Amino acid sequence: MQTDVVRIGTRGSQLALAQAAETRARLMAAHDMPEEAFEIVVIRTSGDRIQDRPLSEAGGKGLFTKEIEEALFDGRIDLAVHSSKDMPTVLPDGLEISAFLEREDVRDVFIGRSVKRIQDLPQGAKLGTSSLRRQALVLRMRPDLEVGMFRGNVQTRLRKLEDGVAEGTLLALSGLKRLKMEHVATQIMDAQAFPPALGQGAICIESRIGDERIKALLAPIHHEPTGTKLACERAFLATLDGSCRTPIAGEAKLEDGRLSFYGMILTPDGREVHEVTGEGAAEDAIEIGRDAGARIRDMAGPSFFSDWV
């Protein structure tokens, strides 16, 4: 490998830095390179700056990637580390997802201020989340709850909870594990009853198409099974034109070369729900996701999205 310092772009939250550090550690081990061969470059994104309204109102998922992708184009960084669930399904021309690290636990967790489970919250209690998916799933369980906007990184959300802004919130177990904070969870949600976001728990690495040096660097740390599962999930999302304005959930699983997929779409109030499954050979992951997306769109009908977006 060349000896030039490899610049890793990332957001500046503790979780994003932990993900970048994990990527660096895997690259160091794969290529027997010292830590000083890498530089972690923190880039503040629009999604980090905008805290006063939901992302669905501010522009969607691309708010967490736009400035980092600009740094890739400008050559200020060589690769970018993202949470896969933050990645738009359509990337800018010239960029690609080059690798996925092995996926962590996909489940969500509830963190209660005075109770341990969502089921135990008092009638009409306030639950904080910035995710339309989590909002819809919570209201499906407990339509009496008041769901309010809860933006910020993990530490900010936990501080808001301590300050009594809400009686509970939901976070990804994968993020808490990467921060070694899973002990704060008071309830781990069942992934069937409370399905995760597409891509949840997976770290992806974005780079410039044609950068052979970086492609060779990343090849040994790519986790093929995670890449296969994410190909299916992203195809499902792309078929539905999913964004932060769309409560969409689901997960692809892989066993013995066979891929199975479960997907769900909901209205934001959780009252209307459509579910779909798909199965096939691992090499057909993209087609399985596309087919599931087309079938669930047909189930819901043409007015499903337009009625509430």
Side-chain angles (χ1 to χ4, degrees):
M1 301 302 300
Q2 293 185 20
T3 56
D4 295 345
V5 171
V6 176
R7 295 156 300 172
I8 302 171
T10 177
R11 294 167 59 201
S13 71
Q14 288 186 39
L15 177 56
L17 291 172
Q19 294 179 162
E22 181 179 342
T23 302
R24 178 180 61 189
R26 289 175 182 267
L27 288 169
M28 288 166 57
H31 298 285
D32 193 24
M33 296 170 73
E35 186 172 311
E36 54 266 28
F38 302 90
E39 177 188 0
I40 292 178
V41 180
V42 174
I43 298 167
R44 195 163 187 235
T45 69
S46 300
D48 297 312
R49 287 194 294 270
I50 299 169
Q51 296 291 321
D52 61 343
R53 58 194 186 277
L55 289 179
S56 57
E57 296 177 8
K61 289 186 178 184
L63 292 172
F64 284 130
T65 59
K66 178 175 176 288
E67 286 83 358
I68 297 175
E69 289 171 336
E70 288 172 353
L72 268 175
F73 279 124
D74 294 346
R76 286 177 280 141
I77 59 174
D78 300 300
L79 58 94
V81 178
H82 304 283
S83 294
S84 295
K85 69 177 183 178
D86 290 338
M87 291 296 287
T89 54
V90 178
L91 302 184
D93 289 341
L95 300 182
E96 64 182 353
I97 295 177
S98 310
F100 289 95
L101 302 190
E102 184 172 2
R103 194 175 207 169
E104 246 292 1
D105 200 310
V106 303
R107 293 175 293 178
D108 283 310
V109 300
F110 171 71
I111 304 169
R113 185 164 173 261
S114 57
V115 299
K116 291 188 174 181
R117 306 186 311 153
I118 290 178
Q119 295 91 323
D120 299 330
L121 284 168
Q123 188 82 7
K126 184 172 182 179
L127 184 142
T129 179
S130 60
S131 161
L132 271 181
R133 174 189 61 87
R134 288 173 178 150
Q135 170 189 302
L137 290 169
V138 164
L139 291 175
R140 187 186 184 204
M141 292 173 59
R142 288 285 307 270
D144 61 289
L145 296 179
E146 178 190 347
V147 180
M149 190 192 63
F150 218 57
R151 288 289 314 283
N153 59 37
V154 171
Q155 290 75 15
T156 300
R157 295 187 205 190
L158 293 177
R159 192 161 53 247
K160 287 180 178 180
L161 200 58
E162 290 176 5
D163 292 342
V165 175
E167 287 300 314
T169 190
L170 289 150
L171 293 171
L173 179 55
S174 58
L176 293 179
K177 283 189 170 185
R178 290 186 174 113
L179 291 169
K180 304 190 185 311
M181 293 175 61
E182 58 263 45
H183 61 277
V184 304
T186 59
Q187 179 185 19
I188 297 178
M189 308 304 293
D190 178 78
Q192 288 296 317
F194 205 96
L198 285 305
Q200 186 155 306
I203 294 171
C204 68
I205 304 169
E206 187 180 22
S207 66
R208 292 180 292 271
I209 294 173
D211 191 330
E212 295 303 320
R213 174 198 174 209
I214 297 302
K215 184 177 181 179
L217 188 77
L218 294 173
I221 70 168
H222 172 62
H223 189 253
E224 189 68 36
T226 298
T228 298
K229 289 182 277 191
L230 267 289
C232 176
E233 293 179 20
R234 287 176 61 78
F236 176 74
L237 200 59
T239 302
L240 292 171
D241 192 26
S243 71
C244 283
R245 298 182 66 86
T246 315
I248 302 177
E251 180 189 1
K253 296 181 180 180
L254 194 59
E255 187 173 355
D256 298 328
R258 298 289 294 177
L259 185 141
S260 60
F261 176 76
Y262 167 78
M264 174 191 286
I265 57 175
L266 311 88
T267 50
D269 60 10
R271 291 181 181 177
E272 185 178 349
V273 180
H274 298 278
E275 299 168 280
V276 70
T277 59
E279 186 176 353
E283 56 263 32
D284 296 326
I286 293 174
E287 189 53 44
I288 293 167
R290 285 177 180 160
D291 176 68
R295 285 188 288 118
I296 203 169
R297 184 183 280 280
D298 288 343
M299 287 180 210
S303 65
F304 179 81
F305 294 98
S306 60
D307 280 353
W308 49 263
V309 171

